[in-house]
């Protein structure tokens, strides 16, 4: 809502504004109690609690929010592939919306899970629109993994996707792993179809610098 947007602007200007974190948590809480909303509320109250460690009331609010979010997540069943095509499409649409919301709020691990569940549903639907939506969900899931620390299997999400964005995300994962030769191969292939060759050229130069200074995977 407008309140969430206004408070987001305030937090961009000052991330140490504990009151803004608390108020934005309250604004989200008014939107409902599905899993994604509860996790966003918990995230905001966690930030506020970290900024005010001596505020016992705020610490309690965060503890309650964390418990509620955990309970909802544990109770959430995996998507059912049975049901009418329309029911599956509605479930997939909800999961995609949840994934986008969670991704915007920085909850990448949970967003990744939502996108994968959407893929399971969309892969069972016929037609090019469902395939395009599944491909987009895979790309977003890969993007979530790139935001998380550690080495994740981004390649399996991108291998079958014939798009420049898939190549760029797989290149990022390979570069992070230190496989600079494979990353450069992806980047050079992506350059052939990219609308922003200058950006890809910059990434190629950066990857070559890493290869030359850090060595290559044997």
């Amino acid at each position: 809502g407008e309140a969430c947007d206004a408070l987001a602007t305030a937090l961009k200007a000052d991330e140490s504004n504990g009151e803004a974190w608390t108020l934005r948590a309250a604004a989200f809480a008014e939107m409902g109690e599905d899993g994604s909303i509860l996790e966003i509320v918990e995230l905001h109250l966690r930030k506020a609690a970290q900024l005010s460690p001596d505020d016992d009331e705020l610490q309690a609010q965060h503890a309650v929010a964390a418990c509620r979010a955990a309970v909802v997540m544990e109770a959430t069943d995996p998507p059912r592939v049975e049901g009418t095509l329309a029911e599956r499409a509605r479930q997939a649409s909800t999961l995609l919306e949840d994934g986008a919301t969670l991704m915007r709020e920085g909850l990448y691990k949970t967003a990744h899970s939502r996108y994968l569940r959407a893929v399971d549903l969309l892969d069972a639907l016929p037609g090019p629109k469902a395939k395009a939506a599944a491909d987009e969900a895979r790309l977003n899931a890969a993007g979530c993994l790139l935001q998380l620390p550690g080495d994740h299997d981004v390649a399996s999400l991108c291998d079958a996707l014939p798009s420049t964005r898939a190549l760029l995300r797989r290149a990022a994962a390979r570069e992070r792993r230190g496989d600079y030769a494979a990353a450069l191969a992806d980047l050079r292939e992506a350059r052939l179809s990219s609308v922003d060759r200058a950006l890809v050229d910059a990434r190629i130069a950066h990857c070559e610098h890493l290869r030359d200074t850090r060595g290559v995977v044997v």
Side-chain angles (χ1 to χ4, degrees):
E2 293 182 3
C4 288
D5 293 340
L7 289 164
T9 301
L11 288 170
K12 285 181 181 179
D14 180 12
E15 289 191 359
S16 64
N17 187 337
E19 183 180 6
W21 284 109
T22 304
L23 290 173
R24 198 160 191 255
F28 271 110
E30 292 179 357
M31 295 181 184
E33 295 191 355
D34 66 39
S36 61
I37 294 296
L38 288 177
E39 287 183 86
I40 293 169
V41 170
E42 187 276 329
L43 168 69
H44 283 67
L45 288 176
R46 187 197 324 155
K47 295 280 192 181
Q50 289 170 349
L51 291 167
S52 302
D54 297 326
D55 188 330
D56 292 339
E57 182 179 351
L58 188 54
Q59 299 299 323
Q61 288 179 10
H62 171 244
V64 171
C67 288
R68 293 181 70 193
V71 168
V72 169
M73 283 305 297
E74 289 175 2
T76 301
D77 294 326
R80 296 174 302 163
V81 178
E82 64 268 17
T84 67
L85 294 181
E87 287 171 343
R88 297 181 210 171
R90 282 194 295 270
Q91 290 178 51
S93 178
T94 298
L95 289 165
L96 292 175
E97 290 175 4
D98 281 357
T101 299
L102 291 161
M103 200 172 181
R104 284 196 300 271
E105 297 298 327
L107 297 171
Y108 298 111
K109 184 177 180 180
T110 310
H112 169 261
S113 175
R114 294 291 202 283
Y115 283 126
L116 290 188
R117 289 168 59 194
V119 167
D120 287 340
L121 288 165
L122 291 165
D123 281 346
L125 296 177
K129 289 185 177 179
K131 184 182 183 306
D135 288 350
E136 184 68 18
R138 286 186 172 88
L139 274 174
N140 287 334
C144 290
L145 291 180
L146 289 172
Q147 297 297 326
L148 296 173
D151 186 18
H152 301 281
D153 187 13
V154 174
S156 65
L157 291 166
C158 298
D159 284 344
L161 303 180
S163 75
T164 302
R165 290 166 61 205
L167 287 167
L168 292 174
R169 292 186 179 182
R170 189 173 66 183
R174 287 173 165 174
E175 182 182 291
R176 177 188 289 184
R177 194 169 61 241
D179 191 354
Y180 302 118
L184 284 168
D186 282 343
L187 290 171
R188 288 167 180 148
E189 184 177 350
R191 187 183 186 279
L192 298 176
S193 56
S194 175
V195 297
D196 191 349
R197 290 193 173 184
L199 176 62
V200 179
D201 285 342
R203 287 190 56 180
I204 289 173
H206 176 70
C207 191
E208 288 175 336
H209 172 74
L210 293 176
R211 176 199 60 193
D212 296 339
T213 56
R214 298 183 182 178
V216 296
V217 174
V218 179

